[in-house]
Each structure stands twice: as structure tokens, then as C-alpha cells.
Amino acid sequence: MSKQYETGFARVDAVIRSIENGPEIGDVAETPEKAHFYQLRAAGNVDIFEPYTEEQAALNHYLTRKRAGKKLCDYAWRLFAQSF
């Protein structure tokens, strides 16, 4: 993304910066449904479940926009969980 995507949540924005400015994780889900599944699974792996807070939903919205695959979702949610 050419313009930095911001959510207004410091932790989520830090995760996004790490993804956008870090090593390329060119992991794209085959379908939007799989992308959603990968998000749910990655969040669950760090003990975060629905209903999501606004902050957590903002991270998923970003991942949805990127149609993030399994590796990228895992990376993003682990980074987010470590920031607590």
C-alpha cells in the first residue's frame, strides 16, 4: 500500500507498520472466505476470540483488505498479542 494505513489504535498501527515496512510476507488467501478463516484461526491461536473489541476488529479489517493468508495472519496476530 502506498499510503500508510492507519486505524487510530496504537498497537494495531504498530503491527501494520511492521508488516508494511518489514520483510515481505507475500501470503494471499485464495478466497475471501479462506482469508476470514485464517484470521479467526490466528486470533484463536493467541487466545483471542469473537466478539472482538474495536481494536481487534481493526486488525482484522486491515487483514481483510490485504486478503492475508495463513502466514500473514499468524504473524499479525502474534505481534498484536505480544504487545499487551
Side-chain angles (χ1 to χ4, degrees):
M1 295 182 174
S2 57
K3 183 180 179 214
Q4 189 71 36
Y5 183 88
E6 292 186 11
T7 66
F9 295 102
R11 286 187 291 195
V12 176
D13 290 344
V15 170
I16 292 169
R17 280 191 303 277
S18 178
I19 291 169
E20 296 292 323
N21 299 320
E24 178 68 29
I25 303 175
D27 188 32
V28 177
E30 298 84 13
T31 65
E33 293 78 15
K34 282 191 177 184
H36 181 70
F37 170 76
Y38 294 143
Q39 291 170 28
L40 294 173
R41 181 174 176 213
N45 286 340
V46 293
D47 295 324
I48 298 173
F49 302 97
E50 293 183 302
Y52 295 122
T53 66
E54 287 184 42
E55 181 181 41
Q56 295 162 348
L59 178 56
N60 272 337
H61 180 63
Y62 168 76
L63 293 171
T64 297
R65 285 176 50 118
K66 289 197 70 80
R67 204 163 102 183
K70 182 184 179 308
K71 290 178 189 176
L72 186 53
C73 288
D74 284 339
Y75 177 77
W77 275 104
R78 288 187 192 285
L79 229 69
F80 179 80
Q82 291 172 358
S83 69
F84 283 103

